[in-house]
């Protein structure tokens, strides 16, 4: 069973489009236009064009692309900011230099430092973010389970059945999951924790290669539990216990 997957994007539209081109080239090589392409979330924040990324995804889904879009923690925070009950402390966290909400708002022409306070800032953002993009943020899936592979943004809570995972863990977890070496019953394909290269740890695969910090948006093809990095030169296997180039 073949699936394609793309790691964290963080407002990097050109890198997302380059990753999609690699997937398209591989589909043509193997003659498969039906295998889903799973996006692991974090479409927004830090990069220069979060608006462009969301618009690109909206247009692709409308055109019938076989894409699965999962929710990342950054996407959840943006969705909550556009809602009505997010706490001021959470707004401050999103707008901090590290998290990247300021860059997202800037892609809509909004300066977060403008006067008016949180309520006014939220109103301006609601007016600026198209309804189709807000609907996309609302509709993102917490996970996708296909064959021997379980896709999610951050990871799972070890020891909890895959169908009973809490969404907060699926989009936020790190240490308890990353440090656990047991087999989880499926290969867990995730992002969220930046690495220099795609990493295959036997029980999990990390596809976040740091697009939010200047790295690439990585794309892989997964057949059974075999993981292959897609590159301009073709397929590059990522065996368990090694990092992909």
């Amino acid at each position: 069973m073949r699936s394609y997957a793309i790691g964290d994007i963080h407002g990097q539209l050109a890198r997302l489009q380059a990753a999609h081109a690699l997937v398209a080239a591989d589909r043509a090589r193997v003659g498969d236009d039906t295998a889903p392409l799973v996006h692991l979330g974090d479409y927004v924040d830090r990069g220069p064009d979060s608006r462009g990324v969301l618009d690109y995804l909206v247009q692709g889904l409308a055109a019938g692309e076989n894409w699965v879009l999962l929710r990342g923690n950054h996407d959840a925070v943006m969705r909550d900011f556009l809602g009505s009950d997010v706490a001021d402390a959470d707004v401050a966290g999103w707008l901090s230099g590290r998290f990247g909400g300021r860059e997202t708002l800037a892609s809509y022409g909004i300066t977060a430092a403008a006067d008016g306070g949180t309520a006014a800032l939220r109103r301006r953002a609601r007016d600026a973010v198209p309804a189709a993009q807000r609907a996309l943020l609302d509709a993102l899936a917490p996970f996708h389970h296909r064959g021997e592979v379980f896709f999610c943004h951050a990871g799972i809570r070890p020891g909890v059945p895959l169908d009973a995972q809490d969404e907060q863990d699926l989009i936020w977890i790190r240490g308890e999951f990353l440090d656990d070496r047991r087999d989880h019953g499926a290969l867990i394909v995730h992002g969220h924790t930046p690495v220099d290269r795609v990493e295959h740890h036997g029980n999990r695969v990390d596809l976040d290669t740091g697009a939010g910090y200047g790295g690439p948006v990585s794309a892989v093809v997964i057949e059974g539990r075999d993981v292959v990095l897609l590159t301009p030169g073709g397929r590059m296997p990522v065996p368990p216990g090694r990092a992909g180039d």
Side-chain angles (χ1 to χ4, degrees):
M1 183 177 291
R2 179 181 296 115
S3 304
Y4 293 92
I6 287 179
D8 300 41
I9 296 160
H10 284 295
Q12 298 288 352
L13 177 57
R15 295 173 196 177
L16 171 61
Q17 292 170 325
H20 277 190
L22 293 175
V23 171
D26 193 77
R27 287 189 189 278
R29 279 193 292 266
V30 300
D32 186 345
D33 60 1
T34 63
L37 171 52
V38 183
H39 300 70
L40 299 180
D42 277 6
Y43 311 108
V44 302
D45 294 345
R46 297 184 180 145
D49 198 4
S50 292
R51 177 175 187 161
V53 167
L54 292 180
D55 190 52
Y56 176 79
L57 295 173
V58 166
Q59 291 182 29
L61 290 177
E65 294 287 355
N66 190 14
W67 296 346
V68 177
L69 301 184
L70 303 186
R71 178 174 293 117
N73 59 309
H74 286 260
D75 315 311
V77 173
M78 180 180 177
R79 175 202 61 188
D80 292 346
F81 171 76
L82 294 171
S84 60
D85 56 358
V86 64
D88 285 353
D90 294 330
V91 172
W94 187 53
L95 297 178
S96 70
R98 181 178 179 274
F99 207 79
R102 288 176 180 270
E103 289 83 355
T104 294
L105 290 178
S107 73
Y108 293 92
I110 298 172
T111 301
D115 293 335
T118 298
L121 184 61
R122 186 182 291 116
R123 285 195 299 271
R124 299 208 314 277
R126 287 175 181 163
D127 290 341
V129 178
Q133 294 186 12
R134 293 184 62 183
L136 178 71
L137 292 171
D138 288 337
L140 298 173
F143 66 86
H144 183 68
H145 194 175
R146 186 168 193 260
E148 300 179 70
V149 187
F150 185 90
F151 301 90
C152 57
H153 175 65
I156 64 163
R157 176 72 57 180
V160 175
L162 295 178
D163 61 359
Q165 292 287 322
D166 184 90
E167 183 170 340
Q168 288 299 106
D169 285 331
L170 292 171
I171 67 174
W172 286 102
I173 199 168
R174 279 206 170 100
E176 302 95 322
F177 166 65
L178 299 176
D179 296 337
D180 196 291
R181 304 301 299 172
R182 80 186 86 173
D183 186 277
H184 301 301
L187 180 66
I188 311 300
V189 177
H190 67 95
H192 186 55
T193 299
V195 290
D196 291 335
R197 304 173 180 180
V198 171
E199 292 184 354
H200 193 329
H201 294 267
N203 62 347
R204 66 178 180 87
V205 177
D206 189 343
L207 299 189
D208 181 1
T209 46
Y213 302 102
V217 173
S218 291
V220 300
V221 57
I222 304 167
E223 296 165 331
R225 293 176 71 113
D226 295 331
V227 180
V228 176
L229 181 67
L230 300 180
T231 77
R235 291 185 170 205
M236 181 175 295
V238 185
R242 291 181 52 192
D245 292 324

